[in-house]
Amino acid sequence: MGAGEAWKPYEIYPEAGAAGVAGLLSRLDAEADLEALLDREKALVFRGFGVTEERVDAVLDRLLPNRLAYVHGNSPRTKVGRNVYTSTEYPAEFTISMHNELSYAHSWPARLAFCCVTAAATGGATPVVDAALWLASLDDAVRERFAGGVRYTQNLHGGLGLGKSWQDTFETDDRERVDAFLAAAGAEAEWRRDGGLRVTQHRPATVRHPRTGAEVWFNQSDQWHPAALGDETAAALAKLLPADQLPQSVAFADGSPIPAEDVVQVRDRGLAAAVDVDWRQGDVLLIDNLLVAHGRRPFTGARRVLVAMSD
């Protein structure tokens, strides 16, 4: 990327006589240092290789050698294979704002890979944003207020209620396993009389990439704050539940409230700086989960994008 040139994902196409999944696997085998390429480009799009759902495992095995389960994930998904999931199952008419996967958690995946097995009739792009540019786009005062980090609170029901259950969130119905996981993560866990679980975690608002040293915006304050859901949705939730009983909520690390205008700025500037990856059937997108945040544009028709992650 030259000076003054806007960032965008690096696109890779089949070479002559090397199409299809076999061609993609050969291309990946020939890449001397995929990690260095991803450090430099931040996101890679493999187009024209025609990857199908039946063959996606072979590709993911090369891109993500150690695929992770979506444990402690807060978005609704369906597991469809060996640590392969559908992308967030959220109503098609809504935008999913920019975020780094599991940035609210104690540990997060280093890489994400997406595969489009069915492209939407219209829309449905995956916007991606350079997380360092996202951080730089925020007002100085906003960055300063977030400097001390954030506190996330989850209220996970035990089988009936708003949001996800703790069983779905941790992919187990064993309370001892959940307790051990949260203790290792430094999170506070409180089992409720109704069978639910409240989880509280303190996390930084920014992190530095372990190899490039880039400081990036790395939190989901806007997605966890009702103000960023829109006035009507926030008002409806407020009628149903007090703030401390919402499925998820966020505050500054000291417990003080985050101003609504701060999270709206974070949401809107992330989306404004994003570059859309417009899907074609069989495309694969690989991103560095620290350097790049992602989201989803509204769509029509049947869209099916699979996702997997690795450390």
Side-chain angles (χ1 to χ4, degrees), residues 2-309:
E5 187 178 344
W7 175 82
K8 62 181 180 180
Y10 181 65
E11 296 191 345
I12 297 172
Y13 293 87
E15 297 176 348
V21 172
L24 176 53
L25 296 178
S26 295
R27 180 67 181 268
L28 293 173
D29 287 342
E31 181 58 52
D33 193 339
L34 184 64
E35 184 173 79
L37 178 63
L38 195 58
D39 283 350
R40 183 175 72 248
E41 302 294 345
K42 306 176 185 178
L44 310 175
V45 185
F46 301 92
R47 294 198 187 275
F49 293 95
V51 180
T52 63
E53 188 161 348
E54 292 72 26
R55 297 296 309 280
V56 73
D57 269 344
V59 175
L60 293 176
D61 285 345
R62 304 292 177 90
L63 294 176
L64 308 176
N66 182 33
R67 267 184 267 165
L68 303 174
Y70 187 60
V71 175
H72 206 178
N74 67 332
S75 65
R77 305 175 186 270
T78 301
K79 194 170 186 176
V80 297
R82 185 176 66 82
N83 290 342
V84 180
Y85 301 81
T86 58
S87 57
T88 300
E89 295 167 356
Y90 195 61
E93 64 269 26
F94 296 117
T95 296
I96 298 177
S97 60
M98 309 310 296
H99 61 286
N100 306 79
E101 202 64 48
L102 288 166
S103 58
Y104 53 86
H106 171 67
S107 60
W108 48 77
R111 295 182 186 178
L112 303 181
F114 302 82
C115 179
C116 176
V117 295
T118 304
T122 63
T126 292
V128 290
V129 65
D130 182 326
L133 295 179
W134 188 7
L135 173 62
S137 76
L138 302 176
D139 291 352
D140 290 345
V142 172
R143 292 199 299 268
E144 290 169 6
R145 283 193 285 273
F146 275 91
V150 295
R151 185 181 74 183
Y152 299 103
T153 300
Q154 288 173 288
N155 289 300
L156 305 169
H157 62 79
L160 184 63
L162 289 175
K164 292 183 71 174
S165 69
W166 62 264
Q167 294 94 331
D168 285 342
T169 298
F170 296 102
E171 294 192 2
T172 183
D173 58 5
D174 185 333
R175 290 192 179 197
E176 290 185 358
R177 287 184 61 187
V178 174
D179 284 336
F181 177 92
L182 293 175
E188 302 170 23
E190 178 188 352
W191 292 99
R192 314 305 295 269
R193 290 183 178 179
D194 61 5
L197 172 65
R198 175 176 290 179
V199 179
T200 304
Q201 307 175 84
H202 293 82
R203 301 290 179 240
T206 67
V207 297
R208 288 194 178 274
H209 192 274
R211 291 183 301 280
T212 71
E215 184 181 11
V216 297
W217 187 250
F218 198 75
N219 68 83
Q220 291 187 31
S221 57
D222 60 315
Q223 291 197 330
W224 287 55
H225 197 296
L229 300 175
D231 293 341
E232 292 183 4
T233 303
L237 284 173
K239 289 180 180 179
L240 288 172
L241 293 168
D244 67 345
Q245 295 297 321
L246 292 172
Q248 57 189 38
S249 59
V250 64
F252 288 126
D254 63 3
S256 60
I258 299 175
E261 56 269 25
D262 283 8
V263 294
V264 170
Q265 179 182 129
V266 168
R267 179 198 65 192
D268 291 351
R269 293 191 183 175
L271 284 166
V275 178
D276 283 354
V277 175
D278 293 306
W279 290 112
R280 306 166 197 167
Q281 189 167 336
D283 286 350
V284 173
L285 167 66
L286 179 68
I287 68 173
D288 184 301
N289 186 45
L290 270 75
L291 297 177
V292 172
H294 65 282
R296 192 206 68 191
R297 302 293 187 187
F299 66 94
T300 65
R303 177 187 188 271
R304 185 171 174 83
V305 175
L306 304 181
V307 62
M309 55 201 77

